[in-house]
Amino acid sequence: MKYEYHRLSPEFIQAIAEHIGKNVSKYPDIDGKVNWKTANPKDKQQLLNSLFRHFNAIMKGELIDEESGSPHIIAVAANAMMVYYEEYCKCDGRS
């Protein structure tokens, strides 16, 4: 299958990468592995809680997260990516 990456917004992807990078000090890598890829299944609820907190902030009209400085929609997207990884990638090696 050929993926159509040209249909994705590079600015959106960059914003997600920047958001995750801002949080490295809060959620440091573990043994050289990217923190969110080392999550265990029980962390899925924490990710969903974060996703819904950011989504709720958007619904209340708050666009920017005060703590990270990122748009809440980017935090929603980052959390959705992490939940997707945990739920569907099923990567045993978790690199």
Side-chain angles (χ1 to χ4, degrees):
M1 171 182 275
K2 292 184 180 181
Y3 300 106
E4 299 188 24
Y5 291 106
H6 68 282
R7 297 185 186 279
L8 300 176
S9 164
E11 296 83 5
F12 187 70
I13 294 168
Q14 180 179 339
I16 294 170
E18 288 173 4
H19 174 74
I20 291 172
K22 289 177 187 177
N23 288 297
V24 168
S25 61
K26 186 176 178 182
Y27 304 106
D29 292 350
I30 299 169
D31 297 326
K33 295 180 182 172
V34 176
N35 177 293
W36 62 265
K37 288 185 176 182
T38 62
N40 60 53
K42 69 181 178 182
D43 294 330
K44 183 175 120 180
Q45 189 60 53
Q46 181 181 354
L47 290 170
L48 289 171
N49 286 341
S50 177
L51 186 154
F52 284 111
R53 274 194 309 275
H54 288 288
F55 183 76
N56 190 49
I58 294 167
M59 296 299 292
K60 294 189 309 187
E62 184 181 326
L63 299 179
I64 304 296
D65 178 42
E66 288 184 23
E67 183 179 352
S68 69
S70 297
H72 282 292
I73 194 69
I74 295 301
V76 168
N79 280 288
M81 178 190 69
M82 294 173 199
V83 171
Y84 174 85
Y85 182 86
E86 180 61 40
E87 199 62 31
Y88 298 101
C89 290
K90 307 293 184 197
C91 302
D92 293 332
R94 297 194 185 248
S95 57

